[in-house]
Structure formats: C-alpha cells, structure tokens
Amino acid sequence: MKINENYLSQKNYVFTEISKRVSDFKQKHPNKRILNLGIGDITRPMDKRLVEVMTNALYEQTNKSTFKGYPPETGYDFLKKAIVKKYEENDISVLNDEIFISNGAGCDVTNILNLFKNVTAVIADPTYPAYLDSNKLCGNDVLLLPLSKQNNYKMLPYGIAENRSYLIYICSPNNPTGATLNYDELKQWVDFANKTQSIILFDNAYESFIEDNSPKSIYEVEGAKTCAIEISSFSKSAGFTNLRCSFTIVPQNLIRQSQNINKMWLRHQCTFFNGVPYHIQKGALFALSSEGQKICQKNINYYKKNVKILKKYLKDLNFEFVSSNNSPYIWVKIPTSQNSWQYFEYLLGKGIVCVPGSGFGEWGEGYIRLSAFATRSDVLAVSKLLL
Ligand code: PLP
C-alpha cells in the first residue's frame, strides 16, 4: 500500500488555518474582544419549536413501538415528500428516488468525486475551498476560471475546449463573491454541459438568500435534468451547521457513458454512508413546513440586515466591495498594499476575524471576505475598528 501523496503537498484547509491563528491570538490576548466575521458559521440560536420537534422525535426512540434502528440510506420518505413538494411549488418535478438526504452539502460535493475517474474539474477562482482541495487531494486536473471585476465575478463557459467533458462546479449565489447567475447565464452552462457530456455540480447552499428573480434551482433551466446534480443544505437556511442535514438531487435522466449516475450515487451512499438520524430529518421536515419557513425567514432577515449594516459602514469608510442582495457575504478590496494574509493579521490585531481572499484562490488575492452570519453586536462593533 502507498499513501496518497497529494495530501502531503496541500496547505492547511483555509478555515483550519484561520481557527489556528485566531486561537493563537486569543492565547496571547485573552482579554481582547474577538468580532467573528470569518468562516461563515451561523450565530443565531435555534428556535425552541424546532428543537422541541427534534426532541420529541428523539424521545420516540424510548418507546418499543416507535423505536427505529438504522435510517434508510437515502432518507425517510416523509422528508423526501416534503422536498418533492418544495420543488413542485417552483414548478419543478423531482422524483422520490432522485433525492438523497445527506449530512451536509460539503460531504456530497466532495464525495461525489468517487464516481468519476480522470476528472478535469472546472472551478471558479476564487471559490469555496472544498471544491479545489478535494480535486487536488484526488490528483485531478483543474481548470480555474478567474472571477474579477471585468466579468462581474461571474463564471461563464467562455474559452473552454469543447472536445472533452468536465465536472463543473457552480455556486450561485457564489461563495465568496456573492455573484448570482441569471437564467440565461445558467442556460449557457447547461447547454455547454449537455454538448460536452459534462456534469454540473450545482451547489445551492445559499438559495434561500436569493431575493431577485435569479433561479433558485438549476432545474428551472431547460435541459438541466440531463446534465446537473443539485446539492442543497439546511445549514444556512435553517441553522443546521451543527445538526447536519442536506439533500442532493441526482436526476434519473443523467446518463454518462451509458450509465445511470443516480444508480451509481445510490450504490455509493449505500456503501459509504448510513443515513441521517431520524430526529434530525424530523427537524428538517419541520424547517420545510410553513411554520418552520417563517422561523427560517426570520433568521435569514437578521443576517440580511447585518449585510446592510456592514455595507453602509464600508461605503461610509470608502471601501471598494462587491455584494449582491442575494448573499450573506461581502467581498472587500483591501485598501492597502498588504496581501490578504497580512491584512487578515492586521484586522485580527484589532480583534476582527475575516477570511483572506487568497484562501479562496489566487484571484482572491487583494480581497477579504466578511461574513454577515455574525451576531448583531459584533457587526455593530466592527465599524469603529475597520479603519
Ligand atoms: N457549499 C458552500 C458553497 C458553502 O459555503 C458551504 C458552507 O459554508 C457548504 C457547501 C457546506 O455546507 P454544509 O454545512 O451543508 O456541509
């Protein structure tokens, strides 16, 4: 046996590196207040009703007649039905067996690589780091498409050879830049993927933040069922970053090399994964109910208000930044000649935690990302310290 040497040449995962630096800083400055606008974890406590639903579901385990053993590998029918309904409300038809309940978008978007060999991944730069890192760890080729002011931070299928197929990562609204692809832009990707027999991995983690008429699912786009896998998460929409629940749609019509990718993912999940706990799926079900949706929307509105406050500060302080109204993140140009890790250290010295843009890729150099998933008091305190 040989070890996978790709693990040796990789730097620390950027969020791990940030945690390490912040914890070193805290040790040296135990009394300094830390304002966390960094890794993008949520800060709002869970609603009591949601926890009550999950607690009751957990208590079912104490009763002989309601006790449950292993969950179904791809999820309970009750949650799948609610997801089918959620898509139906958007005029999208999704079949029960196209849905795979999982324990996080992060897991599925990386584990899906097990289905493919000789991959060339198409990834935006800057990007959510797990796309690039997982491909590098697997030794895959990567085609990076730079996002900059020139292309409005939008990744589009321009200048890519059409004589082969790709695994294409699309995150819209984008982490970290917030750019959101409209119907026509997504249609260009769908047409490109169908033409080249590529597969789109559509990361829908921030769908619930969309407030304009941008598609909230890749399946709104004609032709997507034959080329796209959609990965959605309860993490940011319903506050499940700790509880872990997500769902991935692999259409039955997604066929590559005469093979049904849905069947392959089913085989994968049945082998590598044993399902999400019953009470967590009951919590996710509640989050999709009308009562749950109101609770989720309240939290989303709270974070959106944070975005507004931060944008006002940045504007008043003459920072250059981009942020769509569809995103919980603000992509800020560094106002000095420092590189992004230097500027990260400079802000950390004041007690502000951000993510250095270069952690998202080379084209992220010169920027930082601020997360609005912070507490209101942290957001309000930031303004006095930014300059
Ligand atoms: N995809 C993107 C683009 C993200 O930003 C994140 C988390 O920040 C994830 C996936 C991970 O989601 P989950 O908590 O469902 O694993």
Side-chain angles (χ1 to χ4, degrees), residues 15 39-40 103-107 109 128 131 171 173 175 203 205-206 232-236 240-241 244-246 329 369:
F15 298 131
I39 69 163
N103 61 355
C107 314
V109 87
Y128 175 56
Y131 307 155
C171 179
N175 177 8
D203 187 335
Y206 299 103
S232 301
S233 174
F234 290 94
S235 281
K236 307 291 164 80
F240 273 54
T241 57
R244 315 302 302 145
C245 197
S246 63
Y329 300 121
R369 189 198 73 179

Side-chain angles (χ1 to χ4, degrees), residues 117-156:
K117 279 162 89 175
N118 301 331
V119 170
T120 297
V122 171
I123 301 177
D125 183 352
T127 183
Y128 175 56
Y131 307 155
L132 183 59
D133 288 9
S134 56
N135 276 282
K136 291 276 183 198
L137 292 173
C138 290
N140 293 340
D141 288 337
V142 175
L143 179 62
L144 288 171
L145 300 187
L147 304 183
S148 65
K149 209 172 169 178
Q150 277 68 39
N151 56 17
N152 286 324
Y153 304 92
K154 289 185 175 190
M155 185 178 93
L156 291 168

Side-chain angles (χ1 to χ4, degrees), residues 46 50-58 240 243 279-280 282-283:
M46 295 214 99
L50 178 51
V51 174
E52 201 176 83
V53 166
M54 285 187 285
T55 308
N56 291 342
L58 190 53
F240 273 54
L243 299 171
H279 64 289
I280 302 292
K282 278 285 180 180

